[in-house]
Amino acid sequence: MFDLKLHYGNSYLENSMFFCIFINNEWHTSIKGKKFPTINPATGVKICDVEEADKADVDEAVRAARAAGQRGSEWRQMDASSRGRLLHRLADLLERERAVLATLESMDTGKPFLHAFFVDLDGSIKTLRYYAGWTDKIHGKTMPVDENFVCFTKHEPVGVCGAIIPWNFPLLMFMWKIAPALACGNTVVIKPAEQTPLTALHTGALIKEAGFPPGVVNIVPGFGPTAGAAIGSHMNIDKVAFTGSTEVGQLIKAAAAKSNLKRVTLELGGKNPCIVFADSDLQSAVEETQKGAFFNQGQACTAASRVYVEEAVYDEFLRLSVERAKNIAIGDPLEPRTSHGPQINQHQFDKILELVASGKKEGATLECGGCAVEDRGLFIHPTIFSDVKDHMRIAKEEIFGPVQCIMKFKTQEEVIDRANGTQYGLTAAVFTRDIHRAMSVSAALEAGTVWVNCYNALHAQAPFGGYKMSGNGRELGEYALAEYTEVKAITLKLSERLTL
Amino acid sequence: MGVRGVSALEAVQQGVIYGCVSLLGSVALTYESLSHTSGVFHFKTHHFFTSNSGQSRIFINNEWHDSVSGKVFSTYNPATGEKICDVQEADKADVDKAVQAARSAFSLDSVWRKMDASERGKLLFKLADLVERDRAYLATLESLDTGKPFLSSFFVDLQGTIKTFRYFAGWADKIHGSTIPTDGEYFTLTRHEPIGVCGQIVPWNFPLVMTAWKLGPALSCGNTVVLKPAEQTPLTCLYIGALIREAGFPPGVVNILPGYGPTAGAAIASHMGIDKVAFTGSTEVGKLIQEAAGKSNLKRVTLELGGKSPNIIFADADFELAVEQAHQGVFFNNGQCCTAGSRIFVEEPIYDEFVRRSVERARRRTVGNPFDPTAEQGPQVSVEQQRRVLELIQSGITEGAKLECGGKAPLSKGFFVEPTVFSDVQDHMRIAKEEIFGPVQQIMKFKTIEEVIERANNTEYGLAAAVFTTDLNKAMTVSAALQAGTVWINCYNALSCQCPFGGFKMSGNGRELGEIGLKEYTEVKTITMKMSGKKS
């Protein structure tokens, strides 16, 4: 049985509040009295049972969020700079709890502890600090309207924001959602994924400790078809932000339309192309594309799952990639040398191996991996396919596993067409030393993010989101503020025209 | 909690800074201890402020230096006229040293230039936290050195300082350039880069707040700084040096040089190694600064200068509010504000009543020891300022304005001036035209909107203005017509670090605070790239 010592000396498992529904800065059991287990994917052992939120609990949470966000409430009356102070305090608390949160994240998701500590926690803290700085810089404008009018805009919060987040980066996605929402003065009802609710719930305690008024953030652990659907179609939620599969994203948008036309932002799947030209730094391209493909066990919407390599360097690129993939350290996520952990659950595990089988059947060459690690539950060997053709399922479907597909190309025109020949458009990368090629290819790619000579270079300051069916809207950067504000134009009629 | 660990301990051991130590407790306790122990602040005898300990020395490269010339100058407590301590006096040679440090801190491969923008933000946040930790101490020091009431120091100056640092901390990684759809086969992007070494010269009326207004945006944008506090009030600014170092700013990023305008100040303005100078002070000196910048290296210049700010009260205004705001607007900080609302234009029907109520309010204004919590007003900063204010009051009497109350120096010790109100003031009188920088309120009469707008604008200054009315049309019409960088409607001195501040006409050049304040500390670089082939 695992346990953790918290900074104030208690044991994690004895603090049963961390397994409850968080509403109004208080811990609640589920109205239906149901619970669900969360499991450590590295061992298959249950970590604990968590109170399961359903529609009735979402209703409670929405009521709390509405009250917290109503005109005249403490939250709505607060100085914008004070909202910033609260977000900073939350960042400070995350920093204090960094090791505990990274451990929990690693146990609940199976991701290597060091990744959780340096990538997930770092990103979470930085996201909070970045949006803390925005709170009192969300400017409206004044417009020189015609005739004797004065017009100015105010960027007001949208209201109650529902958020539904995935299991691959539970804490980071939590912050990507709540940080801009709170910076703009909204209140939040957020549902963590049922596979990975623990770091979100722990953060609930920190939100309360930071001093956010009750009801500003409410956390409802539960399942998509119940709690998630309740958020998507709730008449009293003004906006929903979802990160997950394209399939569910379509359901969310349909539910929003059928209910109250709530605003929707979606961050969905990807089948992201990496284009490696012969003039690139080949060693670096091999490393970056492979990290892009295998990072987080391939469970990333940004996964570099289609690597297009120019004919002249294709064989060499393939050789180096395979050599590198064979050296990846698979093992216990809490072990510091480990860089590759298990998949999240049996369902994902089966789906990945089924797609690997389809690749073999459709004629791609399996260069390495392609199977489970013996006697290790949900671990899958890093897998590389060569001679992959664009029509194969592994070249078209999001695998969400450690599978790198390497294709060959001859001309720039050809590879741009092929790279764009997908319903997705989340990210893309180009590797070249030629400045013209870098600029023209990055301009031609249909993707919300293009990396040049790098991969997964995400920053809180830069916008992120998808073209086409990879999503709607943008998160992060100044752009995300637009997704969490309503613009109000206030026009005054004056008795006479103002002097300029 | 409390003042910097070692210093606090030393202070307790020496049994000298009682006030500061008790300030670590509740504020209420503080006043009691302070008012019962007047004369306790013999800082000069304490080595915390002597030349071998730090905070009264020149701050260069995160280290404390004696002046090259070996000279020192004294800083005084204006409430008693007694010397607080001697301070090392920076002159040209010290400025040269500081510029060298700032230049090297700004060199291309320096820690500061290579630092993530978000990390610069974190350092500024840390600085704000440290100022907050030492808030009571700094407020005490500020009151001691300037004579402003402790409550004002604590709640206004310290609050403004902390908020300004936090505000600009947040900007550090949000200073966006743009990408531009240029014609032809080109791609253009802009970078907003730091200017380089920024010289900053701050006044004695708000030593800490002005330091924050200068350092906040300069550091947020990635510049390095050579800053000269006023010779009357160098102490809190030097203390900030210690906090800069503690926060972890790399050496040379901030350098602080206590000294005089004609020597250290002039050396900054005409220095060939300084890329930008920001000055807050008198219009007279502002002109010298701009001229020196022109003659030397065309360094960029921002100036926040004097004001003779009009405050227009219409008959339909909330009368109580207008009387009180007009009173605070001119008397705040002992009248020593560039924003002082020193020309009150009152609409004819309410003029007599307004004068009567204003005089009544001014008479109730309590003048006294800045550490007495009931004191609304302390002394002027120096004997020179006290003399200047009294001389202008005399001119008002001579030119025929009606002295309603005050007009004298009330106490034998310290540089105090009574709250003074003049009625029947005419626009041509010196007290209606010159910046008095003292607790003197001029009340004039007006009949029409057109007339009052013209009279309000009829000045070389254009810093601030206010209008009191409940009529939306009047409020908007007058605020649009006034030639001033800031117009307050039904309020006064409502400054906030989120809003730009600066002057029209001879009240200054450029703006401080707000997003626009960043513009004064960045150079925009346009990078245009030739694109081969068709653009998409």
Side-chain angles (χ1 to χ4, degrees):
Chain A
M1 195 66 170
F2 108 98
D3 203 356
L4 276 173
K5 269 273 192 295
L6 300 178
H7 79 284
Y8 35 85
N10 302 22
S11 101
Y12 177 77
L13 286 178
E14 280 166 16
N15 283 271
S16 55
M17 65 184 188
F18 295 132
F19 321 130
C20 289
I21 298 166
F22 183 74
I23 295 174
N24 252 333
N25 282 2
E26 285 161 1
W27 301 96
H28 299 260
T29 51
S30 91
I31 290 172
K32 278 192 174 164
K34 287 209 286 185
K35 293 181 184 205
F36 64 95
T38 182
I39 291 167
N40 180 343
T43 60
V45 174
K46 180 171 90 172
I47 300 171
C48 60
D49 284 317
V50 174
E51 295 292 330
E52 181 186 333
D54 201 333
K55 188 174 179 319
D57 308 282
V58 170
D59 285 344
E60 281 296 312
V62 171
R63 257 194 293 277
R66 276 244 90 83
Q70 76 185 1
R71 265 181 298 118
S73 70
E74 185 188 355
W75 180 240
R76 288 293 291 276
Q77 300 264 5
M78 190 179 279
D79 281 344
S81 65
S82 301
R83 288 204 306 275
R85 296 279 292 140
L86 287 177
L87 282 167
H88 262 295
R89 208 168 297 152
L90 184 57
D92 289 343
L93 295 177
L94 245 69
E95 223 156 56
R96 186 190 74 192
E97 306 273 305
R98 188 168 181 162
V100 167
L101 283 164
T103 308
L104 271 184
E105 195 77 318
S106 177
M107 302 194 70
D108 216 9
T109 64
K111 65 175 68 193
F113 171 81
L114 286 182
H115 290 182
F117 191 85
F118 287 109
V119 180
D120 298 68
L121 266 293
D122 192 55
S124 300
I125 292 163
K126 282 191 166 175
T127 302
L128 284 171
R129 293 204 193 283
Y130 177 73
Y131 283 105
W134 269 122
T135 56
D136 60 355
K137 299 170 183 72
I138 301 168
H139 296 159
K141 298 173 195 233
T142 63
M143 273 72 56
V145 287
D146 292 348
E147 299 171 11
N148 53 327
F149 296 96
V150 166
C151 183
F152 57 89
T153 58
K154 286 179 61 185
H155 293 203
E156 299 184 349
V158 177
V160 176
C161 296
I164 303 172
I165 56 174
W167 47 260
N168 55 347
F169 295 94
L171 193 63
L172 188 62
M173 293 302 108
F174 189 93
M175 298 312 162
W176 282 23
K177 297 288 180 284
I178 70 159
L182 300 178
C184 296
N186 297 282
T187 59
V188 174
V189 174
I190 185 165
K191 186 191 91 59
E194 68 274 15
Q195 296 88 346
T196 57
L198 298 183
T199 48
L201 292 172
H202 192 93
T203 302
L206 303 181
I207 283 167
K208 180 175 178 172
E209 183 179 347
F212 284 91
V216 169
V217 178
N218 306 279
I219 307 168
V220 286
F223 291 81
T226 52
I231 289 173
S233 60
H234 207 288
M235 293 303 289
N236 260 323
I237 290 182
D238 305 295
K239 184 237 159 76
V240 61
F242 170 75
T243 298
S245 70
T246 295
E247 183 193 347
V248 175
Q250 290 185 286
L251 294 176
I252 300 271
K253 192 157 185 171
K258 276 189 192 155
S259 55
N260 62 347
L261 276 178
K262 57 176 68 64
R263 288 90 191 88
V264 179
T265 49
L266 303 170
E267 302 289 349
L268 309 174
K271 191 71 191 176
N272 307 298
C274 281
I275 303 175
V276 180
F277 285 97
D279 71 346
S280 66
D281 175 341
L282 202 65
Q283 190 63 46
S284 159
V286 166
E287 284 171 26
E288 291 288 330
T289 52
Q290 189 155 99
K291 274 192 282 179
F294 297 147
F295 178 63
N296 212 43
Q297 293 71 248
Q299 303 167 140
C301 50
T302 61
S305 50
R306 291 188 293 151
V307 185
Y308 291 96
V309 183
E310 198 170 0
E311 197 172 27
V313 293
Y314 180 84
D315 291 339
E316 177 67 358
F317 182 93
L318 184 59
R319 191 182 66 73
L320 289 169
S321 293
V322 172
E323 192 180 297
R324 205 165 185 284
K326 286 179 173 164
N327 286 324
I328 288 171
I330 305 173
D332 177 0
L334 295 177
E335 162 72 40
R337 276 177 300 244
T338 298
S339 63
H340 190 91
Q343 307 310 123
I344 188 76
N345 61 18
Q346 192 67 44
H347 174 74
Q348 288 292 321
F349 177 89
D350 293 343
K351 185 186 144 201
I352 294 160
L353 291 181
E354 191 267 320
L355 272 160
V356 168
S358 84
K360 287 193 270 192
K361 210 173 115 204
E362 291 190 285
T365 307
L366 179 67
E367 297 280 349
C368 65
C371 56
V373 179
E374 274 176 45
D375 307 328
R376 292 244 22 186
L378 301 175
F379 291 74
I380 294 178
H381 281 291
T383 300
I384 296 179
F385 278 109
S386 64
D387 301 326
V388 179
K389 305 289 178 240
D390 292 357
H391 64 81
M392 295 177 182
R393 282 183 62 204
I394 53 171
K396 292 198 304 195
E397 295 178 29
E398 191 174 33
I399 302 174
F400 236 61
V403 182
Q404 189 179 25
C405 301
I406 303 182
M407 291 95 132
K408 196 184 288 181
F409 77 90
K410 285 184 182 167
T411 73
Q412 187 171 315
E413 284 309 308
E414 168 213 335
V415 78
I416 288 171
D417 275 353
R418 292 171 66 193
N420 286 339
T422 166
Q423 64 174 350
Y424 294 113
L426 193 59
T427 68
V430 49
F431 291 85
T432 176
R433 287 194 172 95
D434 183 317
I435 190 171
H436 296 297
R437 197 173 269 153
M439 294 306 294
S440 54
V441 173
S442 58
L445 288 167
E446 295 165 359
T449 294
V450 178
W451 289 300
V452 179
N453 295 329
C454 56
Y455 206 87
N456 272 340
L458 289 156
H459 299 102
Q461 298 102 346
F464 178 79
Y467 276 42
K468 301 192 277 187
M469 287 181 69
S470 284
N472 283 180
R474 291 293 177 273
E475 295 190 298
L476 302 185
E478 183 176 7
Y479 295 88
L481 301 172
E483 313 281 355
Y484 286 97
T485 46
E486 291 279 5
V487 175
K488 180 183 282 173
I490 300 178
T491 301
L492 314 180
K493 180 161 166 77
L494 299 178
S495 52
E496 56 185 294
R497 187 187 289 259
L498 286 186
T499 177
L500 180 63
Chain B
M1 71 176 279
V3 296
R4 302 190 319 122
V6 174
S7 314
L9 184 62
E10 288 168 359
V12 175
Q13 284 166 347
Q14 303 262 335
V16 175
I17 314 180
Y18 304 122
C20 302
V21 174
S22 65
L23 279 165
L24 298 178
S26 73
V27 175
L29 187 74
T30 299
Y31 303 134
E32 222 164 80
S33 346
L34 285 167
S35 47
H36 291 170
T37 52
S38 52
V40 114
F41 292 94
H42 299 299
F43 279 74
K44 63 187 170 187
T45 63
H46 190 262
H47 88 265
F48 185 60
F49 281 101
T50 57
S51 59
N52 58 7
S53 83
Q55 279 76 19
S56 59
R57 300 169 80 195
I58 296 166
F59 183 72
I60 296 174
N61 252 333
N62 281 4
E63 285 160 1
W64 301 98
H65 298 258
D66 285 332
S67 69
V68 173
S69 68
K71 285 206 283 189
V72 295
F73 66 96
S74 305
T75 182
Y76 297 91
N77 176 351
T80 61
E82 286 168 13
K83 183 165 100 174
I84 301 169
C85 63
D86 284 327
V87 176
Q88 293 290 321
E89 182 186 332
D91 202 334
K92 188 175 180 320
D94 307 282
V95 171
D96 287 343
K97 268 170 71 179
V99 171
Q100 217 159 30
R103 276 246 85 83
S104 113
F106 192 73
S107 61
L108 269 183
D109 290 325
S110 71
V111 182
W112 182 239
R113 288 295 291 279
K114 295 261 169 182
M115 188 180 280
D116 283 344
S118 63
E119 198 59 32
R120 287 203 309 275
K122 275 183 84 174
L123 286 178
L124 274 167
F125 267 112
K126 181 84 198 285
L127 181 60
D129 288 344
L130 295 177
V131 173
E132 199 160 60
R133 181 194 70 189
D134 294 353
R135 184 171 184 165
Y137 182 85
L138 277 162
T140 309
L141 204 52
E142 193 78 320
S143 280
L144 196 68
D145 214 10
T146 62
K148 66 174 73 195
F150 173 82
L151 275 183
S152 291
S153 294
F154 191 85
F155 288 108
V156 181
D157 297 68
L158 265 295
Q159 164 126 317
T161 302
I162 294 162
K163 283 195 166 179
T164 303
F165 283 137
R166 291 221 167 100
Y167 177 75
F168 283 107
W171 271 122
D173 62 355
K174 300 171 184 72
I175 301 168
H176 296 158
S178 36
T179 61
I180 300 162
T182 36
D183 289 349
E185 295 186 339
Y186 299 101
F187 173 72
T188 297
L189 57 94
T190 60
R191 275 164 51 88
H192 293 205
E193 299 182 354
I195 295 175
V197 177
C198 297
Q200 305 184 319
I201 303 173
V202 298
W204 46 259
N205 56 346
F206 294 94
L208 263 180
V209 177
M210 292 301 111
T211 297
W213 284 24
K214 296 287 182 284
L215 289 181
L219 299 178
S220 181
C221 296
N223 298 280
T224 59
V225 171
V226 174
L227 189 150
K228 186 190 93 58
E231 68 273 17
Q232 294 88 345
T233 57
L235 297 182
T236 48
C237 185
L238 287 166
Y239 192 87
I240 292 291
L243 300 184
I244 287 275
R245 179 183 161 142
E246 186 181 348
F249 284 92
V253 169
V254 176
N255 305 279
I256 302 173
L257 292 99
Y260 289 84
T263 52
I268 288 173
S270 60
H271 207 290
M272 295 300 289
I274 290 182
D275 305 297
K276 185 238 157 80
V277 61
F279 169 76
T280 298
S282 70
T283 295
E284 185 192 348
V285 175
K287 287 173 153 186
L288 295 177
I289 302 266
Q290 178 131 305
E291 196 183 331
K295 278 191 184 153
S296 55
N297 61 346
L298 279 176
K299 56 176 68 63
R300 287 91 190 90
V301 178
T302 49
L303 302 171
E304 301 290 348
L305 308 175
K308 191 73 190 176
S309 300
N311 186 353
I312 302 172
I313 321 281
F314 285 97
D316 67 3
D318 176 337
F319 190 77
E320 302 290 327
L321 175 78
V323 169
E324 183 61 23
Q325 289 289 304
H327 172 83
Q328 298 296 354
V330 69
F331 289 111
F332 176 65
N333 207 44
N334 316 334
Q336 303 168 138
C337 295
C338 49
T339 59
S342 51
R343 292 187 292 150
I344 322 275
F345 293 97
V346 182
E347 200 171 3
E348 200 173 26
I350 59 166
Y351 182 82
D352 292 340
E353 181 63 4
F354 190 91
V355 169
R356 195 181 67 73
R357 293 290 303 281
S358 295
V359 170
E360 196 181 291
R361 179 65 186 89
R363 285 204 171 111
R364 268 193 290 126
R365 190 171 184 81
T366 48
V367 181
N369 181 346
F371 291 99
D372 176 347
T374 63
E376 290 175 275
Q377 183 175 316
Q380 307 311 116
V381 77
S382 65
V383 69
E384 291 80 13
Q385 285 295 319
Q386 183 196 36
R387 275 198 208 115
R388 181 181 147 72
V389 174
L390 292 172
E391 191 265 321
L392 271 159
I393 290 173
Q394 193 50 53
S395 83
I397 299 169
T398 312
E399 291 189 288
K402 184 174 173 204
L403 180 69
E404 296 276 355
C405 67
K408 295 189 295 294
L411 300 168
S412 53
K413 211 170 93 173
F415 314 133
F416 293 87
V417 174
E418 288 174 347
T420 301
V421 178
F422 279 110
S423 65
D424 298 333
V425 179
Q426 305 304 314
D427 292 359
H428 64 82
M429 295 176 181
R430 281 184 63 203
I431 53 171
K433 293 199 305 194
E434 295 180 27
E435 191 173 32
I436 301 175
F437 238 60
V440 188
Q441 185 176 32
Q442 283 64 238
I443 309 182
M444 291 92 129
K445 195 184 291 182
F446 78 90
K447 286 184 182 167
T448 71
I449 287 200
E450 293 70 30
E451 170 213 337
V452 77
I453 288 171
E454 205 174 310
R455 290 171 64 194
N457 285 339
N458 186 22
T459 165
E460 64 179 357
Y461 294 113
L463 193 59
V467 50
F468 284 80
T469 175
T470 49
D471 181 319
L472 176 64
N473 287 302
K474 256 181 221 164
M476 292 312 296
T477 305
V478 174
S479 58
L482 287 169
Q483 295 165 349
T486 294
V487 178
W488 289 299
I489 300 176
N490 295 327
C491 54
Y492 208 91
N493 273 340
L495 288 156
S496 134
C497 56
Q498 295 110 348
C499 300
F501 178 79
F504 278 40
K505 301 192 280 187
M506 284 179 66
S507 284
N509 283 179
R511 292 293 178 274
E512 293 189 301
L513 302 184
E515 182 176 11
I516 212 162
L518 301 170
K519 190 169 141 285
E520 314 281 355
Y521 286 96
T522 47
E523 291 278 7
V524 175
K525 180 182 282 173
T526 302
I527 300 179
T528 296
M529 212 181 283
K530 173 80 178 152
M531 300 280 286
S532 65
K534 271 201 309 208
K535 300 207 297 184
S536 47

